[in-house]
Amino acid sequence: MRYAQPLLEIDVIIAGAVVLAGIALLLLWRQRRLHNTRVRLESKLDEERGRRELAEQALGDTRLQVSRLSASQQSLRDAERRRIARDLHDDMGQHLLAISFDIADLAQRHENLAEPLAQVEARLQAATRALRTIVRDLQPEQLESGLQGAVQQQVEQFSRLSGIPCRLEAEPAAFSIPADDLMDAVVFRILQESLSNIARHAQASEVCIGLFRVADSLSLTVRDNGVGLPDPPARRGCGLRGIAQRVAEAGGRFDISSQPGHGTALTMSFPLQ
């Protein structure tokens, strides 16, 4: 009986060791199971990341193709505008000039028709000025001096014709970008349309234009202190739709910020190639 107590203690120790070994095996099994689960999840995550990268690359390629297609279409439209402008200037302009000479000749030979012919001549001169405006809009001569000169000239012309003070805030980096005829034409046309909308609808007393380079994009902001857009906003007019379309075709972004009675800000950004 004196050996019974030590044997009992040994049995307890052995039983405890067996239990601890079982717990250790269970923990190892659970750890291995968690490890395998983590490996599977990481593998799925890597696959998902790969699919997302491929989708983002495909989306970027699609956007690039759309931008190139839009640029090609814009180039064709600009070429067509130049052709129409040239034909109007050379053909219609010559006809108007010939009619002016005929009127002058009739006025010299028929003095009794001098007054009505003078009225016809005045209308002819008005038509000639309108033709020159159309030709200038189809093929803006301002861009011949570069984007900086075109923007400055447009700002000065807007202030002079509308009587609305217009301030230009532009950093030198915005004009140090390598010349891009397509981008320059888009920015200039959008600026023209924006100022035209302000003159027609905004009832503003001040306009501020900002032109900045932000990373790999060109940012244009046209802000006025006019009546703002209605709340709730009405459907975009032709002017805003045209601006939005031009910006989209250039692969850019277009945002409108406006409150009734507190003016409107149009912000556009264009990617630089």
Side-chain angles (χ1 to χ4, degrees), residues 62-81:
T62 301
R63 288 176 175 172
L64 181 60
Q65 292 175 1
V66 171
S67 179
R68 288 176 176 175
L69 179 60
S70 299
S72 177
Q73 292 176 340
Q74 184 63 42
S75 178
L76 292 174
R77 286 195 293 267
D78 289 340
E80 183 65 12
R81 289 192 185 99

Side-chain angles (χ1 to χ4, degrees), residues 93-109 121 124-125:
Q94 292 299 319
H95 286 304
L96 293 176
L97 182 61
I99 293 173
S100 180
F101 288 154
D102 291 339
I103 292 175
D105 182 62
L106 286 173
Q108 289 181 353
R109 289 187 295 161
E121 176 66 21
L124 182 64
Q125 293 300 322

Side-chain angles (χ1 to χ4, degrees), residues 147-161:
L147 181 61
Q148 182 174 4
V151 169
Q152 291 174 342
Q153 185 175 350
Q154 183 64 29
V155 168
E156 295 172 358
Q157 179 179 344
F158 171 79
S159 297
R160 184 177 67 255
L161 296 179

